[in-house]
């Protein structure tokens, strides 16, 4: 039996973001019975539970809700729990898989004890967290130092993007990092909902949106996702459709600055509709959008991009390496050059049905060939079981 300890997701079953969905899919779709997963789950409750989820041992790790530092504390406590379990059960030759690069300054002290029991320490580098505008300069500096420490000490770096893997080798060549490329996943599955379902009718009525008559944005409400460019360019276009923005919008400093810079509140086409946590409803909304606009500029294989390629026929992606690597010829690309996205929006607004269908087929083919969860889980299982 190969024991795999997974650290860094909030927990399963997934209710949050990409890491949680990844761990859930990995566990739920397990094929090889020679693998035993142990998943550390974050909780703010003092009383913790140990439970089974689709064959995986899940242990809640209790931490105080202390702001940004809570994730670092969780990782460290989860590592301690993993080591205790390994010692208690006298486990041998497994993997401790850490998601994200939060604990670089501390990781070196954990490597020798795990190695004593024959356990390798793997790290999923995720994206460029140190580039995110939401962090202050000191925090961004910490993220960069932490990334360096994780790269230097990990036995293997799992990169979900070829561009991330290239960045690791170029930036940390002196460490001679050991890397492998295994992407994030998605599936081509149609929504179970129809236009007659109550929650579908209610959502479209509540937001005064018509099916196939809106462009869609789905993503975290952060500056590096290029909301300012997308909104400004849409407002300057003569597109006769709405721009529906599904995001965790908060009336914070970024929101107020965005409103001041773009005056989006003066354009009735711009509709911030909050979040949609119902996965099937969100899939239906994607499927029935005229087009999807993706502005993410930081990170590797983005989950919301894969879901868009799987569900939406027409995809307009910000033209950076991460996005081009995923979309290839199944999408169209834009830059931040003033007028570029405006012109592209006006052009695609007049595309024929067959042209949009062909783009949609190519987008789905990308997902089927390179990003299906079946393929991703198979790659992980084969790598875990390598001697």
């Amino acid at each position: 039996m190969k024991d795999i300890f997974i650290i860094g997701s909030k927990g399963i079953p997934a209710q949050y973001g990409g890491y949680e969905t990844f761990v859930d899919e990995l566990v739920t779709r397990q094929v090889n019975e020679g693998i035993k997963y142990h998943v550390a789950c974050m909780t703010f409750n003092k009383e913790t539970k140990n439970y089974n989820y689709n064959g995986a041992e899940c242990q809640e790790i209790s931490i105080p809700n202390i702001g940004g530092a809570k994730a670092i504390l969780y990782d460290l406590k989860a590592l301690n729990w993993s080591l205790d379990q390994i010692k208690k059960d006298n486990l041998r030759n497994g993997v401790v898989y850490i998601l994200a690069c939060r604990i670089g300054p501390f990781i070196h002290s954990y490597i020798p004890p795990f190695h004593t029991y024959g356990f390798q320490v793997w790290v999923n580098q995720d994206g460029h967290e140190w580039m995110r505008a939401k962090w202050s300069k000191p925090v961004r500096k910490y993220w960069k130092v932490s990334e360096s420490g994780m790269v230097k000490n990990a036995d293997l770096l799992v990169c979900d993007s070829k561009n991330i893997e290239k960045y690791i080798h170029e930036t940390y060549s002196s460490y001679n990092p050991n890397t492998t490329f295994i992407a994030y996943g998605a599936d081509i599955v149609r929504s179970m909902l129809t236009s007659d379902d109550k929650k579908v009718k209610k959502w479209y009525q509540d937001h005064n949106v018509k099916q196939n008559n809106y462009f869609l944005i789905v993503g975290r409400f952060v500056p590096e996702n290029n909301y300012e460019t997308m909104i400004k360019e849409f407002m300057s276009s003569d597109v006769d459709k709405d721009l529906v923005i599904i995001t965790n919008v908060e009336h914070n400093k970024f929101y107020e600055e965005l409103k001041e810079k773009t005056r989006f509140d003066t354009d009735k086409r711009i509709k911030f509709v909050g979040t949609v946590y119902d996965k099937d409803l969100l899939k239906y909304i994607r499927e029935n959008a005229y087009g999807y606009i993706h502005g993410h500029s930081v990170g590797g294989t983005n989950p919301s991009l894969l879901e868009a390629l799987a569900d939406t026929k027409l995809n307009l992606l910000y033209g950076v390496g991460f996005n081009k690597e995923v979309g290839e010829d199944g999408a169209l690309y834009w830059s931040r050059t003033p007028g570029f996205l405006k012109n592209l929006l006006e052009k695609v607004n007049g595309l024929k049905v067959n042209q949009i269908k062909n783009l949609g087929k190519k987008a789905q083919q990308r997902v089927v060939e390179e990003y299906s969860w079946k393929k991703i889980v198979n790659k992980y299982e084969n790598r875990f079981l390598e001697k």
Side-chain angles (χ1 to χ4, degrees), residues 17-23 97-101 122-129 132 147 156-169 178-186 220 294 296 298-306 309 321-327 366 370-373 376-377 379-380:
Y19 275 145
E20 291 69 42
T21 300
F22 157 67
V23 178
Y97 188 20
I98 305 171
L99 307 176
C101 292
W122 295 8
V123 171
N124 187 301
Q125 196 264 346
D126 196 20
H128 298 316
E129 194 68 31
R132 296 193 187 279
E147 178 185 89
L156 178 68
L157 291 153
V158 182
C159 306
D160 71 6
S161 157
K162 291 174 183 174
N163 276 267
I164 286 286
E165 188 173 31
K166 181 183 176 185
Y167 157 79
I168 291 291
H169 283 285
N178 181 26
T179 66
T180 189
F181 163 64
I182 307 178
Y184 191 81
R220 285 193 296 176
H294 188 75
H296 293 54
V298 176
T301 302
N302 183 266
S304 65
L305 172 54
L306 287 180
L309 293 173
F322 306 113
N323 297 334
K324 288 182 175 180
E325 171 190 330
V326 176
R366 287 292 299 150
E370 297 297 332
Y371 299 101
S372 72
W373 275 121
I376 302 308
V377 170
K379 281 187 174 182
Y380 266 104

Side-chain angles (χ1 to χ4, degrees), residues 335-383:
S335 75
R336 283 192 287 213
T337 303
F340 194 110
L341 180 54
K342 167 192 177 291
N343 292 334
L344 181 60
L345 284 164
E346 291 175 349
K347 180 182 176 182
V348 299
N349 196 41
L351 286 179
K352 294 177 181 177
V353 173
N354 282 346
Q355 291 175 303
I356 294 174
K357 277 186 178 179
N358 286 337
L359 278 168
K361 286 178 183 177
K362 289 179 180 178
Q364 288 195 340
Q365 200 61 32
R366 287 292 299 150
V367 175
V368 169
E369 290 179 357
E370 297 297 332
Y371 299 101
S372 72
W373 275 121
K374 182 178 180 181
K375 181 173 182 174
I376 302 308
V377 170
N378 182 58
K379 281 187 174 182
Y380 266 104
E381 289 192 356
N382 287 341
R383 192 77 203 216

Side-chain angles (χ1 to χ4, degrees), residues 1-4 30-36 381 384-385:
M1 184 66 69
K2 199 75 174 273
D3 291 277
I4 312 296
Q30 180 178 346
V31 176
N32 196 301
E33 295 179 356
I35 295 172
K36 175 67 178 179
E381 289 192 356
F384 284 143
L385 293 168

